[in-house]
């Protein structure tokens, strides 16, 4: 997917790589903040050492803030790439429409013709989110096993249970395809 996308924005390819790397670093920093939270609670509850707990709390705020900043900067880089991609796709689409017959415009609603804006959400939001959505659960599971094998097993069982429940809630895939096709048609006709 990235190779196909970067083919349309060779001048912004670096933005994509920087964004993915920053989003991944943000995930590592976020999960490390969770580890610090465990240490803070350990100092506070088990050791009753309020001074150490306060130091951990300050570090937690710093790491969570750093993670959020890295994620926001990652999103900015991806947004720059997404806007350039939309522009380039429209330019390429206009070149193709110049050769199209009038019959093409009779058969296709204008909402289907200009759909370059649909790439914005997929590029600007989904790509950095996917990096985090992939790394944070894996790192959190590793962290839970590092804290305690029992905690790790509980988190693993809860994760599998939630995944099965989510799959059951998604329902029939054919219905979702029909729903999406109808929504696309409605949007196209409205435009």
């Amino acid at each position: 997917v990235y190779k196909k996308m970067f083919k349309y924005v060779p001048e912004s390819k670096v933005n994509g790589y920087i964004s993915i790397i920053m989003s991944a670093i943000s995930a590592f920093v976020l999960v490390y903040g969770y580890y610090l939270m465990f240490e803070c609670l350990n100092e506070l509850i088990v050791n009753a050492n309020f001074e150490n707990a306060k130091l951990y709390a300050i570090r937690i705020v710093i790491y969570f803030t750093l993670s959020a900043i890295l994620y926001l900067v990652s999103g900015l880089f991806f947004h720059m790439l997404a806007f350039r991609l939309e522009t380039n796709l429209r330019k390429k689409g206009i070149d193709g429409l110049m050769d199209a017959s009038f019959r093409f415009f009779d058969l296709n609603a204008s909402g289907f013709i200009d759909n370059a804006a649909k790439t914005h959400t997929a590029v600007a939001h989904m790509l950095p989110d996917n990096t985090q959505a992939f790394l944070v659960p894996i790192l959190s599971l590793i962290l839970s096993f590092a804290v305690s094998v029992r905690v790790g097993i509980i988190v693993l069982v809860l994760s599998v249970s939630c995944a099965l429940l989510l799959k059951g809630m998604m329902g029939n895939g054919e219905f979702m395809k029909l729903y999406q096709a109808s929504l696309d048609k409605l949007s196209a006709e409205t435009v």
Side-chain angles (χ1 to χ4, degrees):
V1 172
Y2 292 126
K3 283 183 183 180
K4 286 180 183 178
M5 177 184 68
F6 288 151
K7 188 170 61 174
Y8 292 101
V9 283
E11 70 278 5
S12 297
K13 188 186 295 189
V14 173
N15 287 351
Y17 291 126
I18 290 171
S19 183
I20 291 170
I21 290 168
M22 292 186 83
S23 184
I25 292 170
S26 171
F28 279 94
V29 171
L30 178 69
V31 173
Y32 185 69
Y34 293 152
Y35 172 73
L36 292 176
M37 193 178 293
F38 163 73
E39 290 294 337
C40 178
L41 291 172
N42 193 35
E43 287 295 322
L44 191 63
I45 297 170
V46 177
N47 299 335
N49 188 335
F50 297 109
E51 284 302 312
N52 280 352
K54 189 186 334 180
L55 293 175
Y56 276 117
I58 292 169
R59 288 176 63 195
I60 290 167
V61 170
I62 290 170
Y63 277 93
F64 282 174
T65 304
L66 179 61
S67 174
I69 290 170
L70 287 169
Y71 180 73
L72 286 173
V73 172
S74 167
L76 287 174
F77 276 98
F78 258 124
H79 272 80
M80 289 189 294
L81 184 141
F83 291 131
R84 177 59 47 208
L85 178 66
E86 284 179 55
T87 302
N88 291 353
L89 286 175
R90 281 198 174 102
K91 287 177 184 176
K92 194 161 184 71
I94 288 171
D95 291 342
L97 286 176
M98 297 299 282
D99 298 330
S101 69
F102 288 115
R103 178 138 174 81
F104 174 81
F105 296 102
D106 289 338
L107 296 175
N108 295 289
S110 60
F112 283 124
I113 295 170
D114 180 22
N115 57 9
K118 291 182 180 180
T119 63
H120 177 79
T121 301
V123 175
H125 298 279
M126 290 177 120
L127 294 178
D129 291 348
N130 284 345
T131 304
Q132 293 245 332
F134 178 75
L135 285 176
V136 170
I138 292 170
L139 294 172
S140 297
L141 187 62
I142 292 169
L143 176 63
S144 65
F145 275 103
V147 167
S148 166
V149 174
R150 291 181 296 191
V151 171
I153 291 171
I154 290 171
V155 170
L156 183 63
V157 168
L158 286 174
S159 298
V160 170
S161 300
C162 288
L164 292 173
L165 285 172
L166 186 61
K167 185 178 181 202
M169 288 178 6
M170 294 305 282
N172 186 349
E174 290 301 315
F175 173 77
M176 290 305 290
K177 287 179 186 176
L178 178 64
Y179 172 78
Q180 193 60 46
S182 299
L183 189 61
D184 287 344
K185 184 177 179 185
L186 177 67
S187 295
E189 292 298 325
T190 303
V191 171

